[in-house]
């Protein structure tokens, strides 16, 4: 049985990855410090003989006993509301945490896949975004702590590949959605759905003509799985190229939820990208991958998940574990 370490295991994508690799016959070691993850995301794995869990901050030294075949590095705050409140932790997990995991991969002769992001492209001047585009990032802007953490993460990963011969993979993840997203994490899908469920008007920032492309979580996980097992070592986009304006998307949510809320407009945040659409030609060619789930289907599943949340979760304004980490 192959053994895989998944960091950020209690997060949105991390928990789905745990499920995927257990299903595929792997022994999974999940690791998280719960700064943005949630124990309920992996509660269903308690008692599973193919799963073990370690509470650990990966910016500290990491020790795993025995052999290790693969590492998936998915530990990081991943939404603006998170990384604007914990900027130092965001930079540390992308730098110190990645360094620790690459050292572990080297010591164990394990293949490591790191989760990068479409945010490395910044507010893009090229559309759609291909892997060859270097990006348009404000290094000292408020979003720079996340963008630059991920860009550094890519650089050190390729350095370990070239200098130490470590087997590395890099996935650039575009907007992904589905069950287990945190309702209060500030991203547009949980924000809109939360507002609809609470009977609030939907808040659109800017004029609403900025675009996003949304990939359902099952498609994203399958792309990551295929990339890990492929021979491709350079960054690769995984996302859904079907683009939609935020204004049109807000109207879709109102129709889906059957609510009568209005759309209200507020100022656009600093350096918020005006366009986001992946070019997935490389994923199609190298991985034989493309998204399968239509947005209408995925959004219904996601909304049904949010409808099942408790009243406390529906009205929570901040992640419960921020306070203990905020001053580190």
């Amino acid at each position: 049985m192959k053994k895989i370490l998944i960091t950020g295991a209690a997060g949105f994508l991390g928990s789905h990855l745990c499920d995927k690799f257990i299903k595929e016959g792997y022994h999974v070691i999940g690791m998280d410090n719960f700064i943005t993850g949630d124990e309920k995301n992996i509660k269903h794995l308690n008692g599973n003989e193919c799963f073990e869990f370690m509470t650990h901050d990966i910016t500290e030294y990491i020790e795993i006993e025995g052999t290790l075949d693969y590492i998936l590095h998915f530990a990081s705050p991943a939404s603006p509301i998170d990384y604007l409140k914990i900027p130092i932790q965001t930079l540390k997990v992308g730098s110190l945490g990645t360094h620790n995991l690459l050292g572990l991969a080297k010591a164990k002769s394990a293949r490591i896949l790191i989760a990068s992001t479409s945010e490395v492209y910044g507010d893009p001047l090229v559309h759609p975004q291909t892997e060859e585009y270097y990006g348009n990032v404000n290094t000292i802007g408020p979003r720079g702590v996340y963008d630059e953490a991920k860009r550094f993460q890519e650089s050190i990963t390729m350095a370990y590949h070239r200098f130490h011969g470590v087997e590395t993979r890099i996935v650039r993840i575009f907007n992904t959605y589905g069950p287990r997203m945190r309702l209060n994490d500030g991203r547009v899908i949980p924000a809109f759905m939360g507002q609809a469920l609470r009977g609030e008007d939907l808040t659109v920032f800017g004029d609403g003509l900025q675009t996003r492309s949304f990939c359902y979580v099952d498609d994203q996980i399958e792309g990551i799985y295929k990339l890990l097992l492929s021979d491709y070592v350079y960054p690769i986009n995984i996302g859904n190229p079907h683009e939609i304006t935020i204004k049109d998307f807000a109207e879709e949510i109102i129709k889906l939820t059957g609510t009568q809320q209005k759309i209200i407009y507020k100022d656009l945040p600093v350096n918020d990208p005006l366009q986001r659409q992946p070019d997935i030609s490389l994923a199609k060619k190298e991985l034989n991958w493309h998204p399968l789930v239509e947005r209408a289907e995925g959004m219904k599943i996601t909304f049904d998940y949010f409808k099942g949340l408790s009243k406390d979760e529906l009205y929570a304004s901040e992640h419960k574990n921020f306070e203990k980490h905020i001053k580190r």
Side-chain angles (χ1 to χ4, degrees):
M1 182 178 285
K2 296 286 188 180
K3 186 184 290 187
I4 184 167
L5 169 66
I6 301 177
T7 69
F12 166 47
L13 289 180
S15 63
H16 284 284
L17 286 165
C18 289
D19 291 343
K20 171 67 174 179
F21 280 89
I22 289 171
K23 181 181 177 181
E24 296 293 338
Y26 290 71
H27 181 86
V28 173
I29 303 171
M31 183 174 288
D32 208 302
N33 67 346
F34 299 111
I35 189 170
T36 58
D38 197 318
E39 291 177 82
K40 74 172 186 176
N41 289 339
I42 51 173
K43 185 178 180 180
H44 64 287
L45 297 176
N46 289 345
N48 190 315
E49 63 182 11
C50 294
F51 181 74
E52 58 181 295
F53 184 78
M54 300 173 63
T55 302
H56 186 70
D57 181 346
I58 64 163
T59 64
E60 307 291 340
Y61 178 74
I62 303 167
E63 184 173 2
I64 302 291
E65 294 184 359
T67 61
L68 191 62
D69 299 288
Y70 300 104
I71 299 170
L72 296 181
H73 178 18
F74 279 72
S76 176
S79 72
I81 198 171
D82 290 347
Y83 54 73
L84 294 179
K85 288 184 176 180
I86 45 174
I88 306 302
Q89 294 80 1
T90 301
L91 286 160
K92 287 174 68 176
V93 77
S95 54
L96 299 177
T98 304
H99 187 210
N100 286 337
L101 288 165
L102 287 165
L104 179 65
K106 178 175 177 287
K108 299 287 187 179
S109 298
R111 180 178 298 180
I112 180 171
L113 181 150
I114 66 120
S116 187
T117 171
S118 60
E119 293 298 322
V120 301
Y121 300 122
D123 188 3
L125 304 177
V126 170
H127 193 73
Q129 292 82 59
T130 67
E131 290 84 355
E132 289 76 24
Y133 178 51
Y134 293 157
N136 176 39
V137 176
N138 179 1
T139 63
I140 60 172
R143 299 173 70 101
V145 296
Y146 182 67
D147 301 355
E148 290 304 309
K150 291 297 188 179
R151 286 159 71 94
F152 173 83
Q153 185 174 267
E154 289 192 10
S155 295
I156 193 172
T157 296
M158 289 308 300
Y160 263 76
H161 171 72
R162 293 183 176 117
F163 189 77
H164 290 302
V166 174
E167 286 196 45
T168 59
R169 305 290 184 268
I170 300 172
V171 57
R172 287 180 180 163
I173 297 170
F174 281 69
N175 296 72
T176 305
Y177 70 97
R180 302 181 197 164
M181 293 189 85
R182 210 174 76 237
L183 195 61
N184 58 7
D185 79 355
R187 285 180 277 194
V188 65
I189 290 175
F192 281 172
M193 290 189 175
Q195 287 174 326
L197 286 167
R198 293 188 296 267
E200 302 167 0
D201 291 333
L202 273 59
T203 304
V204 167
F205 294 98
D207 58 12
L209 298 182
Q210 66 269 39
T211 66
R212 294 294 182 268
S213 307
F214 301 109
C215 184
Y216 187 63
V217 63
D218 288 359
D219 286 332
Q220 183 66 238
I221 295 302
E222 185 64 21
I224 292 165
Y225 178 75
K226 286 189 170 186
L227 176 57
L228 179 69
L229 300 183
S230 76
D231 295 324
Y232 195 78
V233 302
Y234 297 104
I236 195 161
N237 292 336
I238 299 291
N240 191 320
H242 189 179
E243 189 179 21
I244 185 171
T245 69
I246 295 300
K247 181 179 182 295
D248 287 345
F249 183 61
E251 292 170 351
E252 275 192 10
I253 296 296
I254 291 172
K255 183 178 179 180
L256 169 67
T257 58
T259 56
Q260 302 300 317
Q261 275 73 37
K262 301 190 300 292
I263 298 174
I264 59 175
Y265 295 86
K266 293 187 177 181
D267 291 341
L268 193 68
V270 176
N271 299 139
D272 193 55
L274 297 181
Q275 291 180 307
R276 183 69 82 228
Q277 182 189 25
D279 184 317
I280 60 169
S281 303
L282 195 57
K284 289 179 178 178
K285 176 185 175 184
E286 296 292 337
L287 309 179
N288 190 29
W289 176 90
H290 62 90
L292 300 175
V293 180
E294 295 290 337
R295 190 168 65 243
E297 177 188 355
M299 287 298 171
K300 185 181 185 308
I301 296 170
T302 305
F303 184 61
D304 287 344
Y305 168 79
F306 285 134
K307 281 198 299 186
L309 296 179
S310 69
K311 186 175 181 179
D312 286 345
E313 290 172 313
L314 185 60
Y315 285 89
S317 61
E318 187 173 273
H319 190 266
K320 61 185 178 182
N321 289 330
F322 269 156
E323 187 61 32
K324 70 173 72 173
H325 293 276
I326 203 84
K327 295 179 181 178
R328 289 191 61 208

